[in-house]
C-alpha cells in the first residue's frame, strides 16, 4: 500500500490475503472470491483496494474493513491491469477485450472507453495524462478530453511497465528487448537507453526482459527488475 503498511497478495486458489509489513502477520483473509485475480491496486490514500478479475469485473474493497464497496462492470473479457489516478478519484483498467476504461470510483460508472490493447498503464503526477503501452508503442492520452495526444514506437517489442518521474518530466519504459528507456514526457523524445540486464534465468524463461520499474521519491534514481533475477538501481541523470 502507498502508506507502506500493508502487502496484498492474490493467490491462485482464489483467495486474497493482506499482510502487515511491520509484524509480518496476516491482518485479514477475505472469503474465497470464486474467480482468479490478475491485478491489484491500492488507492493513493491506501483506503481502497481494487481487484482485477477473471470474471470481467473490477471490485473495490475497503482496505480497512475488508468490505466490498463496488463492482465495476463493462469489460467483455478478463481484466489484467489497474491503476489509480494520483487524486484517487479515477481508476484506469485494461482488459483482454483490447480496451482501456476509466472509472469514477465514487459512482462506479465508466467515464469513457479507449479502444486500445494495453500491456501497461501509468498516470502522470498531475493526473492529466494517461500513458498506455500498446504493442511496443507508447501512447499519451489526455484524461480530460479522452483524446490521444501523441504516439511513439518505443522498443519495437512489448513494453511491460511504465513509470512517470515524480516531477512528471520523464517517462520510463521497460521492455522485452531487455532495456529501459527514458523519454521526455512532453514530447516522447528518447533521452537515453539503460542497458545492463542479462539473459533470463536458465530454465525459467526463453528470453531476457525488464519487467518492472519504479522511480525513487526524489526522481534521481530508477529501480528495474528483470527476468535475469536482478534488481538494478540507475542514476537517472547519467544512465549508469
Amino acid at each position: 500500500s502507498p502508506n507502506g503498511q500493508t502487502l496484498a497478495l492474490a493467490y491462485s486458489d482464489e483467495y486474497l490475503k493482506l499482510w502487515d509489513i511491520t509484524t509480518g502477520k496476516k491482518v485479514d483473509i477475505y472469503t474465497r472470491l470464486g474467480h482468479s485475480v490478475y491485478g491489484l491496486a491500492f488507492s493513493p490514500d491506501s483506503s481502497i483496494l481494487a481487484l482485477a478479475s477473471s470474471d470481467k469485473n473490477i471490485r473495490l474493497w475497503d482496505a480497512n474493513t475488508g468490505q466490498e464497496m463496488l463492482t465495476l462492470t463493462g469489460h467483455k473479457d478478463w481484466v489484467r491491469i489497474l491503476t489509480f489516478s494520483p487524486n484517487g478519484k479515477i481508476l484506469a483498467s485494461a482488459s483482454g477485450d483490447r480496451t482501456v476504461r476509466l472509472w469514477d470510483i465514487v459512482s462506479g460508472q465508466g467515464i469513457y472507453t479507449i479502444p486500445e490493447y494495453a500491456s501497461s498503464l501509468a498516470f502522470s503526477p498531475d493526473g492529466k495524462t494517461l500513458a498506455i503501452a500498446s504493442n511496443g508503442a507508447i501512447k499519451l492520452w489526455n484524461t480530460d478530453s479522452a483524446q490521444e495526444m501523441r504516439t511513439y514506437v518505443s522498443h519495437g517489442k512489448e513494453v511491460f511497465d511504465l513509470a512517470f518521474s515524480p516531477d512528471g518530466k520523464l517517462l520510463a519504459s521497460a521492455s522485452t528487448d531487455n532495456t529501459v528507456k527514458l523519454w521526455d514526457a512532453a514530447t516522447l523524445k528518447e533521452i537515453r537507453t539503460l542497458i545492463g540486464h542479462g539473459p533470463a534465468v536458465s530454465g525459467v524463461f526463453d528470453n531476457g526482459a525488464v519487467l518492472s520499474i519504479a522511480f525513487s521519491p526524489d526522481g534521481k534514481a530508477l529501480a528495474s527488475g528483470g527476468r535475469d533475477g536482478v534488481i538494478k538501481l540507475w542514476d537517472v541523470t547519467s544512465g549508469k
Side-chain angles (χ1 to χ4, degrees):
S1 58
N3 62 15
Q5 297 178 3
T6 306
L7 174 67
L9 297 174
Y11 292 80
S12 59
D13 59 4
E14 300 177 355
Y15 280 95
L16 174 68
K17 300 179 182 180
L18 299 183
W19 298 78
D20 185 303
I21 293 177
T22 303
T23 64
K25 295 180 179 180
K26 285 179 283 190
V27 294
D28 208 341
I29 303 176
Y30 296 109
T31 56
R32 186 158 183 152
L33 301 171
H35 48 80
S36 297
V37 177
Y38 290 116
L40 298 169
F42 278 98
S43 60
D45 64 1
S46 302
S47 66
I48 298 173
L49 179 62
L51 284 68
S53 304
S54 60
D55 66 354
K56 308 174 188 177
N57 296 322
I58 301 163
R59 289 173 172 79
L60 303 182
W61 294 76
D62 186 308
N64 298 311
T65 66
Q67 298 297 311
E68 185 173 339
M69 301 164 55
L70 282 173
T71 299
L72 311 181
T73 61
H75 278 296
K76 306 302 182 184
D77 204 341
W78 53 288
V79 185
R80 304 182 302 114
I81 302 168
L82 298 172
T83 187
F84 279 92
S85 63
N87 64 11
K89 295 180 179 180
I90 296 173
L91 179 70
S93 61
S95 166
D97 63 9
R98 306 183 74 81
T99 66
V100 173
R101 291 176 181 254
L102 270 66
W103 309 85
D104 182 313
I105 68 163
V106 176
S107 67
Q109 298 299 308
I111 301 173
Y112 54 77
T113 300
I114 299 172
E116 287 284 359
Y117 163 81
S119 55
S120 183
L121 302 171
F123 279 101
S124 60
D126 62 8
K128 295 181 179 180
T129 302
L130 179 66
I132 300 174
S134 179
N135 297 315
I138 298 173
K139 302 183 179 186
L140 301 183
W141 286 76
N142 183 296
T143 56
D144 291 327
S145 64
Q147 297 296 313
E148 184 177 340
M149 297 187 294
R150 57 186 58 87
T151 299
Y152 193 86
V153 177
S154 56
H155 295 261
K157 292 187 177 181
E158 186 166 15
V159 174
F160 273 132
D161 201 12
L162 295 169
F164 280 94
S165 60
D167 62 6
K169 294 181 179 180
L170 297 177
L171 178 64
S173 58
S175 171
T176 55
D177 68 3
N178 219 22
T179 70
V180 176
K181 290 182 182 289
L182 297 178
W183 310 84
D184 182 301
T187 64
L188 279 186
K189 180 181 179 181
E190 184 178 340
I191 298 173
R192 63 179 51 89
T193 299
L194 309 181
I195 301 173
H197 278 281
V201 175
S202 178
V204 180
F205 298 103
D206 293 332
N207 300 305
V210 184
L211 305 176
S212 183
I213 47 177
F215 279 95
S216 60
D218 62 8
K220 295 181 180 180
L222 181 74
S224 62
R227 284 180 177 169
D228 56 359
V230 175
I231 297 174
K232 287 185 172 290
L233 290 178
W234 306 86
D235 182 290
V236 171
T237 302
S238 68
K240 297 181 179 179

